[in-house]
Amino acid sequence: MDWQACRAQRADLALALRAAAHHGLGEGVCNHFSFALGPDAYLINPRGLMWAEVGEDDIVAIDSSGRRIAGRHEVEPTAMFIHAAVHRIAAKACVMHTHMPHATALTLTAARALDTRLSQNAMRFHGRVAVDPDYNGLALDHAEGERIARAMGGADIVFLGNHGVIVCGPRIDHAFDDLYYLERACESQVIAQSTGLKLMPVAEEIARRVSEQAQGERLQSELFFAALRRALPNP
């Protein structure tokens, strides 16, 4: 692994973390974003730093066992129990795990997840979401991470019952865009449900078409990330 050659990916991962913090998607010094550099090398945020303070030089590289192979900070020992499994079993390049508030709120309901037929933001995720309804305690071993990865069934997004969400993508900017709009969609649903009024989902074919439209045009995702780079420069 060439540490200097992956500088752009380190910068993008750090930016995604700062942007998530800026939009209220972080939780203390918990949770991780990771990006695969190869079959056994991953970039990940370090232990003990809030997402808002992470710069490109704070990102750490680890192997699939969680051993640090580059970077100046320590890594939380449990950081890779979920991430390594999702990278390896689900074959995802970028993995973002959060306890962001409105998405997590929906994991506490009987449905366990977002209704992707409600808001326009929700429809972009139609057909892309899996649900793991079986909370099994803290992910403190490889077996639990592997169980979660298999529950994804190839989906980009998994709602973890009583826990949080995982959002994946082939690129950091695309994954972050999905993370942001997933929380916005969940927020709209939580607000709508709080009114007590009957919800009005669209027809299945409309939700499917909107999802296809959103996936067919990702320039907006890239422009959003470029705007975030201007607004939230490397510390």
Side-chain angles (χ1 to χ4, degrees):
M1 182 197 69
D2 187 332
W3 189 232
Q4 290 305 314
C6 67
R7 183 174 181 180
Q9 291 93 336
R10 285 188 280 137
D12 282 354
L13 196 64
L15 173 59
L17 289 156
R18 295 195 305 278
H22 178 75
H23 290 291
L25 310 184
E27 187 170 70
V29 296
C30 300
N31 301 152
H32 299 85
F33 289 4
S34 60
F35 184 76
L37 296 174
D40 195 41
Y42 310 93
L43 299 178
I44 199 163
N45 48 303
R47 186 175 197 174
L49 294 187
M50 292 187 295
W51 290 0
E53 62 182 320
V54 176
E56 66 181 76
D57 291 336
D58 296 309
I59 297 296
V60 181
I62 59 177
D63 62 20
S64 57
S65 68
R67 182 180 63 91
R68 182 179 57 173
I69 55 179
R72 63 185 183 180
H73 294 291
E74 296 300 320
V75 181
E76 184 182 347
T78 63
M80 284 305 288
F81 288 139
I82 291 175
H83 288 254
V86 174
H87 284 299
R88 177 170 52 84
I89 294 171
K92 303 298 185 181
C94 184
V95 179
M96 298 181 174
H97 172 47
T98 79
H99 299 165
M100 53 192 189
H102 296 92
T104 300
L106 293 180
T107 73
L108 314 182
T109 68
R112 294 298 205 199
L114 176 72
D115 186 336
T116 57
R117 301 165 302 151
L118 286 173
S119 68
Q120 179 173 278
N121 282 340
M123 291 175 215
R124 70 184 280 169
F125 302 109
H126 194 72
R128 302 174 59 203
V129 173
V131 177
D132 175 18
D134 302 317
Y135 181 66
N136 202 33
L138 299 179
L140 298 179
D141 56 48
H142 290 288
E144 179 62 8
E146 290 172 1
R147 187 193 67 76
I148 290 170
R150 291 191 177 96
M152 294 180 69
D156 298 323
I157 294 136
V158 59
F159 281 76
L160 307 171
N162 306 98
H163 183 178
V165 293
I166 297 172
V167 175
C168 303
R171 297 169 43 147
I172 294 169
D173 52 358
H174 291 188
F176 179 80
D177 194 63
D178 281 347
L179 185 82
Y180 172 83
Y181 281 102
L182 182 69
E183 176 65 2
R184 296 283 290 183
C186 291
E187 181 180 14
S188 294
Q189 182 171 326
V190 168
I191 293 170
Q193 288 175 327
S194 74
T195 68
L197 300 174
K198 181 180 178 181
L199 302 186
M200 298 294 290
V202 302
E204 183 83 11
E205 65 264 21
I206 297 213
R208 187 183 308 114
R209 186 168 77 238
V210 171
S211 178
E212 291 169 355
Q213 290 172 329
Q215 292 311 297
E217 197 285 295
R218 295 307 301 247
L219 176 59
Q220 198 74 358
S221 306
E222 294 157 25
L223 292 173
F224 180 33
F225 205 69
L228 289 167
R229 185 176 288 109
R230 295 191 297 273
L232 303 168
N234 192 54

